[in-house]
Amino acid sequence: MTLHSRRLVLGTVALGLTVSLGATLPAPPAGATASRIPRTGFESSQGARWTSQPEEQRFLAAVDRATPRVRIDRIGTTGQGRPLQLVRIGAPAPQRAAAVRRGASVLLICSQHGDEPAGREACLTTIRDLAYAKDRATRRFLERTSVLVVPTANPDGRAADTRTNADGADINRDHLGLRTVEARAMAAVLRDYRPDTVYDLHEYGPTAPYYSKDLLSLWPRNLNTGDAVHREAGALSKDFVEPAVQRAGFSTGVYGIWTDPETGEPVKQVAGDGQERILRNTAGVKGSVGLLVENRVDALTAAERADPALNNRRRVRSQLAALKGAFPFLDRHRTRIEAATSAARRAGYADRGPVYLGGADNEPPTVGQVLADPPCAYRLDAAQFARIEDVLALHGVRWWRGPDGSAVVPLRQSLRGLIPLLLDQRAGYHLAVAAPLDVCPAVKGGKGLGKYVP
């Protein structure tokens, strides 16, 4: 069986819907023919090459024209002029952010690292197959679920086959500072659409024999992630993604942890900490169920070494197998997901409990990394506020303005756990050294936004 045949190799969502690379391609809509169903460059070349940026644009435009299930927005432009795009999928596609299904929305972020293309190919064909699927289960799924996709999160890096963007920045280390246009675009999507689940697709190079599973996954480890959100992220990984990947014949493990090949016991942690600037952790701090998924890149057999297309197809198949687990999680856990994310986003208004400046779910914080009794607010002077106002706005942080151009950022708001990470001197990646206030000033004006009296 080859990619060129009409039975491509996948079958993604265990909902009756078929998603490329392995089941029969979905039936075309009324008036269309099988020959008009758009295909990626990867599919057309049978995996011999990755889909180019012009091919991606033609592919997405064709899918957009074919059905009201899909809407495409331009959410930014890279340093080299390439579009950053958000694909909205539903039955019908949500026309605005407020129309996204609460508790049943997922954001797929594909290929933040430009030299990790397999996740992007899985995302592109998933967009197409959700758009064209005719079975009842998929239609019902899309009536109840909003699927958001950033198909190429780093277009300049993908064009150059580099991990970083055109400026040499690692986008997945910029979800706090938002210095890159790519991270800024994603922050705006997180702020405006408030996806309940954020699913981040990557690839990794193995270290045999300790770190060599076909697909690895990891939830938010940051300790400012709400307990229920953390539990749901663990369930997504362990109860849905891992079993689906194993059923497809692939091995699985936890990202960042070397394991003894004989006992399976952890040996060493080499990555996957609680850094707040990494997307899966940023998502958790902001109240979303985050998951990082990484497939293995190296050729596994003599046949794959002789024919890179075989290796490429296996890489994409493993990502699609993981998605085959993720979509049923959204369907079956929607009530639990909504309860978890809603509670996490409301918790900040109570303004109670510690905020953590370090540590992780598998690494206790030091005493100096715990704000056991956080301040009421942080004060930015006029120069500090002018410098980071746009970053605070992109995150969705709220503030009170002073008559002298300064600002006070209260902790009593949805993003309470994020604010000290941005403004406290002791935070590892703070953007400004703001003055902590034990007593909040009097405020004049509307809810959350207003003026304070010095």
Side-chain angles (χ1 to χ4, degrees), residues 37-326:
I37 295 177
R39 304 174 75 208
T40 65
F42 179 81
E43 291 173 309
S44 297
S45 69
Q46 302 182 50
R49 60 179 178 80
W50 306 108
T51 302
S52 69
Q53 196 263 344
E55 286 174 329
E56 175 186 325
Q57 294 305 296
R58 292 193 295 270
F59 175 86
L60 291 176
V63 173
D64 189 23
R65 289 192 301 268
T67 170
R69 291 182 188 174
V70 174
R71 292 291 181 269
I72 300 176
D73 301 311
R74 187 167 185 148
I75 57 174
T77 302
T78 68
Q80 295 181 343
R82 295 183 175 89
L84 290 159
Q85 293 176 296
L86 174 70
V87 181
R88 293 173 282 143
I89 310 170
Q95 297 299 304
R96 59 193 187 282
V100 165
R101 310 290 187 191
R102 294 275 64 89
S105 57
V106 60
L107 171 64
L108 308 183
I109 300 290
C110 319
S111 295
Q112 286 197 76
H113 295 143
D115 58 351
E116 300 172 8
R120 169 177 176 256
E121 299 295 343
C123 287
L124 289 172
T125 52
T126 296
I127 292 168
R128 190 262 323 282
D129 295 342
L130 288 171
Y132 280 82
K134 306 298 266 185
D135 62 282
R136 180 178 178 183
T138 302
R139 292 199 309 269
R140 185 169 183 269
F141 174 75
L142 291 177
E143 287 168 357
R144 304 171 65 199
T145 310
S146 297
V147 180
L148 309 172
V149 187
V150 178
T152 307
N154 182 5
D156 292 348
R158 174 78 293 271
D161 196 29
T162 58
R163 177 181 177 88
T164 60
N165 71 358
D167 296 325
D170 186 334
I171 297 166
N172 203 28
R173 301 298 182 274
D174 189 38
H175 293 289
L176 196 73
L178 306 183
R179 295 175 178 87
T180 63
V181 65
E182 295 90 351
R184 291 170 72 87
M186 284 181 270
V189 172
L190 290 173
R191 178 197 64 197
D192 296 342
Y193 288 87
R194 297 170 61 227
D196 295 283
T197 301
V198 178
Y199 187 96
D200 188 19
L201 294 82
H202 288 259
E203 300 192 81
Y204 85 103
T207 302
Y210 303 106
Y211 198 45
S212 55
K213 303 296 185 182
D214 296 319
L215 189 128
L216 306 173
S217 60
L218 186 62
W219 48 90
R221 288 197 183 276
N222 191 281
L223 293 174
N224 296 299
T225 302
D227 290 343
V229 167
H230 184 268
R231 285 195 299 272
E232 289 305 312
L236 169 58
S237 173
K238 298 170 186 175
D239 299 339
F240 287 85
V241 167
E242 286 193 13
V245 172
Q246 291 164 4
R247 285 194 296 271
F250 298 107
S251 59
T252 62
V254 176
Y255 177 74
I257 303 294
W258 285 9
T259 56
D260 186 297
E262 294 183 3
T263 67
E265 293 298 313
V267 172
K268 179 181 180 182
Q269 181 166 342
V270 296
D273 57 19
Q275 279 186 55
E276 57 266 30
R277 60 183 184 159
I278 296 172
L279 180 61
R280 65 180 162 81
N281 286 317
T282 305
V285 174
K286 291 184 175 182
S288 294
V289 175
L291 193 71
L292 168 75
V293 176
E294 303 243 6
N295 68 270
R296 180 177 177 173
V297 300
D298 61 319
L300 301 185
T301 64
E304 287 189 357
R305 287 188 286 274
D307 182 1
L310 291 175
N311 178 38
N312 294 343
R313 296 203 295 267
R314 175 186 53 79
R315 289 158 63 181
V316 175
R317 283 200 303 273
S318 66
Q319 286 284 1
L320 288 166
L323 281 170
K324 187 173 182 178

Side-chain angles (χ1 to χ4, degrees), residues 20 58 63 234 310 332 419 430:
S20 102
R58 292 193 295 270
V63 173
L310 291 175
R332 298 173 196 169
I419 291 165
H430 60 264

